[in-house]
Amino acid sequence: MKTTSPAQGAAPDLWHHYGRTRTDTDRSIPGSFAWVWAQDGGPGAEVLGDLTGLTVADLGAGAARHAAHLVTRSAPARVDAVDASAAQHAMACDLYGHLSPHLRLVHADVVEHLDEHPGEYDVVYSVFGGLDFTDPRLLLPATACALRPGGLFAASTLGHYIGGGPAEPDVQHTDIPARTPDGTPTTMPRWVLQEHVWTKLLDEAGFTAISIDRLAPTTSGPRSADTLLMRAHRSR
Ligand SMILES: C[S@@+](CC[C@H](N)C(=O)[O-])C[C@H]1O[C@@H](n2cnc3c(N)ncnc32)[C@H](O)[C@@H]1O
């Protein structure tokens, strides 16, 4: 378990509450890996290809459930599960610390971590994680640099706002509701962008073979949403 100093430092941990109830009741290693918003099926770990012996990073891993699945099922050399939230990192350590050294739990801002590891990774992924909550003009170039030439980046993100509002046609974040650890309402930035905006950002960051699939939810409801599943390779 590695700790650096996340950029958000002394700022309140806006991920303090996320997943806490599940952590109290479900300590299992998930038997499947889902990309979609509802986490109820759709494409799985095969999107990442054969991970045998590869070095992988999960950006904004939360409690590291996806990373724990990969470590136990896909035989990577190592998965670095990176998260800036002290609460999420602590949950991950509690749930899956025993999977070290193949699972490395890193408490760090993803951009800082990637900048410190040029060419380190064969595969980098994010499941509604760092990509959604970090300026992509910083995150995507840092991701390209941290991948070996030809390495794979795969990420899932919202195809539109929860409630149905359209994604942004420009690189523009929205301040969404959040809560501090003591429950005080606040906001945090989230980037919900149209496919062509992501494609341009990936291209400008040095990626090639870019594809973005839109995955519709299997059930409808007030919190259901389309998922964008993007894949791209670092240019050689
Ligand atoms: C919605 S949660 C998703 C967690 C996990 N990927 C999952 O699917 O359960 C988003 C996570 O991204 C993390 N995160 C957001 N921006 C980050 C950044 N710049 N650096 C590190 N972690 C970040 C948050 O701390 C949070 O744990």
Side-chain angles (χ1 to χ4, degrees):
M1 298 161 212
K2 180 172 176 279
T3 299
T4 57
S5 299
Q8 53 205 70
D13 185 352
L14 303 184
W15 294 97
H16 176 85
H17 303 282
Y18 180 77
R20 193 162 287 281
T21 305
R22 181 174 177 189
T23 298
D24 289 343
T25 56
D26 178 5
R27 303 185 58 84
S28 65
I29 297 170
S32 60
F33 181 116
W35 294 96
V36 294
W37 173 245
Q39 292 290 293
D40 62 352
E46 72 281 359
V47 166
L48 299 173
D50 182 359
L51 296 180
T52 306
L54 299 188
T55 303
V56 180
D58 181 332
L59 307 182
R65 292 183 188 273
H66 294 89
H69 170 87
L70 294 179
V71 162
T72 54
R73 308 286 174 120
S74 301
R78 196 180 81 232
V79 178
D80 290 351
V82 185
D83 206 289
S85 158
Q88 294 299 317
H89 177 69
M91 285 185 211
C93 292
D94 178 32
L95 289 171
Y96 304 122
H98 62 285
L99 298 179
S100 174
H102 293 295
L103 177 62
R104 192 168 68 145
L105 301 168
V106 181
H107 182 209
D109 175 80
V110 288
V111 175
E112 289 183 12
H113 178 80
L114 294 166
D115 283 346
E116 289 168 7
H117 295 85
E120 171 107 356
Y121 295 106
D122 301 293
V123 173
V124 173
Y125 72 91
S126 170
V127 183
F128 299 99
L131 183 72
D132 292 43
F133 301 98
T134 312
D135 190 328
R137 293 163 292 199
L138 301 176
L139 179 63
L140 292 175
T143 301
C145 288
L147 280 166
R148 63 157 171 80
L152 171 67
F153 174 60
S156 58
T157 187
L158 287 174
H160 54 76
Y161 288 101
I162 306 300
E168 304 291 340
D170 298 300
V171 187
Q172 170 69 51
H173 74 267
T174 292
D175 292 321
I176 64 162
R179 277 186 301 147
T180 65
D182 69 7
T184 305
T186 184
T187 61
M188 67 172 123
R190 181 167 207 156
W191 280 261
V192 179
L193 309 178
Q194 295 181 8
E195 284 102 315
H196 71 90
V197 185
W198 285 119
T199 300
K200 187 163 182 284
L201 285 165
L202 286 160
D203 179 57
E204 289 171 351
F207 287 96
T208 187
I210 299 164
S211 70
I212 302 182
D213 295 320
R214 179 175 288 269
L215 308 172
T218 51
T219 57
S220 61
R223 288 198 57 79
S224 65
D226 288 357
T227 297
L228 297 185
L229 175 56
M230 62 185 80
R231 277 166 272 196
H233 291 267
R234 176 183 166 176
S235 301
R236 289 180 187 276

